[in-house]
Amino acid sequence: MKSPRRIALVLAALLCTAAQAQLRVPSVTVPTLPPGLPPMQQLAPPLPALQELRANLARDLLRRHPQLIEADPAGQPIRRSELVWISPTAGAVEAARAQGFTVLREEALPELELRELLMRAPAGMATAQAAERLRALDPGAQVDFNHLYTPGGD
């Protein structure tokens, strides 16, 4: 007769073997590049080149469309005279209209319990000055420039 300790060891070994078989990760074949192509690091341009490309695109947009596009204080391209106003009070919106602002678009975002207004600054008012004016009308609301977004890669 076998000892209980020996039986327990044999059972433990069998269980471990069964568990290993069930938990073993299947082998996966990693695809390789076709012959003649450079290594992956050489296929994508380096990050500084992408940053320079984006900066050149922004400069080109600003140069070609100065009547429509300007730079925000950080140098990023924005739509001239347009501001995004998040959840201002009704009184602040009426005060903005009285000062010459125009609501271009209003969109409710019920899932976020927010309301977004696209505002046009009064004629002759700088966009940065208009942003400060809206912030003063409703300090609890968020105001941002209407930024232009360019492709960032795949």
Side-chain angles (χ1 to χ4, degrees):
M1 183 146 73
K2 296 186 179 182
S3 73
R5 185 167 184 254
R6 182 173 165 92
I7 293 173
L9 287 173
V10 170
L11 284 174
L14 287 173
L15 284 173
C16 285
T17 304
Q20 273 186 331
Q22 290 177 357
L23 297 176
R24 187 163 297 158
V25 177
S27 63
V28 177
T29 309
V30 178
T32 57
L33 291 174
L37 282 179
M40 284 300 262
Q41 298 88 339
Q42 295 175 11
L43 291 178
L47 187 57
L50 292 175
Q51 291 170 333
E52 184 179 332
L53 180 65
R54 187 178 186 289
N56 289 341
L57 177 60
R59 276 193 299 275
D60 186 52
L61 284 170
L62 290 165
R63 183 184 52 77
R64 288 189 300 135
H65 305 286
Q67 69 284 7
L68 300 172
I69 300 170
E70 65 180 291
D72 72 0
Q76 300 302 314
I78 60 171
R79 291 189 56 113
R80 184 176 294 282
S81 299
E82 289 187 10
L83 297 160
V84 178
W85 205 6
I86 304 294
S87 297
T89 63
V93 175
E94 288 310 311
R97 283 188 170 128
Q99 292 183 24
F101 285 88
T102 306
V103 177
L104 298 175
R105 184 181 70 235
E106 184 172 346
E107 185 176 352
L109 306 167
E111 302 84 12
L112 302 174
E113 298 178 6
L114 297 175
R115 183 171 63 121
E116 177 185 274
L117 281 76
L118 181 62
M119 305 293 292
R120 176 166 309 282
M125 184 181 289
T127 310
Q129 180 187 4
E132 290 306 314
R133 183 85 50 92
L134 291 180
R135 287 184 186 108
L137 289 174
D138 190 348
Q142 296 294 316
V143 177
D144 198 3
F145 301 101
N146 191 7
H147 287 95
L148 296 176
Y149 295 96
T150 57
D154 290 337

